[in-house]
Amino acid sequence: SQDGNDNTSTINQTIAAGGGFNQTASVTQNGDDNDSFIDQNSDGPGYTGGLRAIVVQNGSSVSDVTQTGSNGGKNMDARVTQTDSTSNVVQSASDTSGFNPSAFARVTQTGGSTSDVFQTLTGDMTGDLNAQVNQQNGATSTISQNANGANSLTQDALVTQNGASSSEITQTFDNAGSNTFLATVNQTGDDHVSVITQDDKAPLTQADSGLTASVTQTGTNNDSLVNQLNKGATATVVQGGEGNESDVIQDGAGLDANVLQSGDRNTAFVSQVGGLNSSVDVDQLGDDSFAFVNQDSNARNDSATVLQTVGSSGNTATIDQNGATPSAQSFSLAVIEQSSSDSQSTITQNGTRNDATSEQSGVNNVSTITQNGTGGAYNVATVDQSGDDNISGITQTGLGNTADVTQS
């Protein structure tokens, strides 16, 4: 059904051996310069069911939906509802024996939005790829999901946007034991950017596990980058205020990163590459502060926490934990808390069993802690500076060392 100006709709549906059923295409267009193209193809020689596309457009809208299946490809579903928007959904399936491919995409848009969804299923036991986008007021979204491997399971991408912001999600299964990916983006306000990349690169000899990324941004002009590789990792980013930036890079197993920034112009950089069962928490609630946390390939069961409180500004926190060897459990702990302004705290820990805490509540303080543990008893370093213009430095090597610095 078409009403109004220069509407164009083209629908092509093709079926091959195995029967021609369960293909549905429905297009409703009302208003200015609408275009809709739907191309659905289902192959054989086995079961050839599924494939449904429904598009409703009001205003100057363009929608392209292409769904292709082979060897019994089935159960692909695309639904687009938009006003004054552009949406392209491409879904492709391939299967040789089990008729397992399935893909689902839903796009709902009002007011000058753009959405691209690409989903590809290849190989035996490929799983349910699911993408849902709900956006308005100038938002743009791109989702690319690809399943690969005999035991691939589920990928989900969920995007909700209100405002002139952009979201990009790329998820890829690489190996036979791939598990479950989930990427969620929720952005309110203008000029936000969210990029999520999740890719399973675990060796074929290892059991794969899931990756989860969640980004929530309010305010204006906040940027988030989440890049997760390998298996069993979780990244959560929450940013409010204005002009904040967060980068989270994780490549290992059993990793967890949480970033909360609610002030203005804060920057958080978290890198866990090659680590195992380690976690990072960064909370920056003031303004103009910087946090850098690195836990590298030898970090095993390490933990890092940065808290820069409400009312603080211009602080820098750096934590670098390197572990010992890939086979050693490092069990190191680093905590930085800064509640005033223009202070710097650096914790560097190598080897195993180090514990460092730096708390600064004055102005223009500097704290440096360096520990090289050799196992056994913990090295423990504690700094508490509450006055202004204090400088503290602690260096400890070996095991069972303790140092406490208090300045006010």
Side-chain angles (χ1 to χ4, degrees), residues 78-211:
R79 311 171 195 182
V80 178
T81 301
Q82 52 184 203
T83 299
D84 193 31
S85 300
T86 301
S87 174
N88 298 295
V89 176
V90 177
Q91 296 179 319
S92 178
S94 177
D95 177 68
T96 58
S97 58
F99 308 155
N100 294 301
S102 178
F104 171 80
R106 178 196 297 269
V107 178
T108 303
Q109 299 179 324
T110 58
S113 298
T114 301
S115 175
D116 296 310
V117 176
F118 312 97
Q119 296 183 319
T120 302
L121 299 169
T122 304
D124 296 336
M125 301 299 291
T126 52
D128 298 327
L129 297 184
N130 178 39
Q132 297 190 4
V133 178
N134 190 338
Q135 58 185 16
Q136 57 184 322
N137 296 324
T140 63
S141 173
T142 300
I143 296 174
S144 177
Q145 299 192 116
N146 189 351
N148 233 327
N151 298 315
S152 298
L153 295 179
T154 302
Q155 295 181 13
D156 284 333
L158 308 175
V159 177
T160 302
Q161 299 188 107
N162 187 348
S165 297
S166 67
S167 171
E168 179 180 336
I169 296 174
T170 304
Q171 300 192 113
T172 304
F173 285 157
D174 282 329
N175 296 303
S178 296
N179 200 275
T180 301
F181 288 177
L182 172 62
T184 304
V185 175
N186 192 327
Q187 299 190 128
T188 303
D190 296 332
D191 300 318
H192 299 308
V193 176
S194 174
V195 178
I196 296 175
T197 303
Q198 300 195 116
D199 195 332
D200 178 17
K201 293 186 177 298
L204 290 173
T205 56
Q206 298 183 15
D208 295 333
S209 188
L211 298 173

Side-chain angles (χ1 to χ4, degrees), residues 176-347:
S178 296
N179 200 275
T180 301
F181 288 177
L182 172 62
T184 304
V185 175
N186 192 327
Q187 299 190 128
T188 303
D190 296 332
D191 300 318
H192 299 308
V193 176
S194 174
V195 178
I196 296 175
T197 303
Q198 300 195 116
D199 195 332
D200 178 17
K201 293 186 177 298
L204 290 173
T205 56
Q206 298 183 15
D208 295 333
S209 188
L211 298 173
T212 301
S214 174
V215 175
T216 301
Q217 300 194 120
T218 59
T220 58
N221 195 32
N222 295 308
D223 292 350
S224 172
L225 169 67
V226 175
N227 190 340
Q228 297 195 115
L229 307 177
N230 217 329
K231 60 181 182 178
T234 300
T236 302
V237 177
V238 178
Q239 298 192 122
E242 180 179 353
N244 295 302
E245 180 177 353
S246 171
D247 291 358
V248 176
I249 300 173
Q250 300 194 116
D251 183 356
L255 303 176
D256 183 63
N258 297 281
V259 175
L260 170 62
Q261 301 191 126
S262 61
D264 298 334
R265 300 172 302 278
N266 295 303
T267 300
F269 182 84
V270 175
S271 177
Q272 298 194 94
V273 177
L276 175 67
N277 297 331
S278 296
S279 65
V280 174
D281 287 284
V282 175
D283 291 357
Q284 299 196 109
L285 312 180
D287 300 328
D288 300 301
S289 292
F290 177 84
F292 173 86
V293 179
N294 176 56
Q295 298 189 135
D296 81 351
S297 59
N298 291 328
R300 299 290 187 268
N301 299 98
D302 286 357
S303 175
T305 301
V306 173
L307 172 59
Q308 313 214 76
T309 63
V310 174
S312 65
S313 65
N315 294 311
T316 299
T318 303
I319 296 175
D320 191 3
Q321 300 196 108
N322 300 301
T325 64
S327 61
Q329 302 297 314
S330 44
F331 293 112
S332 290
L333 172 67
V335 177
I336 293 175
E337 180 177 345
Q338 300 188 121
S339 58
S340 191
S341 302
D342 302 319
S343 293
Q344 300 178 39
S345 181
T346 302
I347 296 175

Side-chain angles (χ1 to χ4, degrees), residues 369-404:
I369 298 173
T370 302
Q371 298 194 116
N372 298 286
T374 57
Y378 270 86
N379 293 317
V380 179
T382 304
V383 174
D384 186 352
Q385 300 190 131
S386 58
D388 299 337
D389 301 311
N390 296 303
I391 298 176
S392 172
I394 296 175
T395 300
Q396 298 190 126
T397 300
L399 68 155
N401 298 300
T402 301
D404 294 302

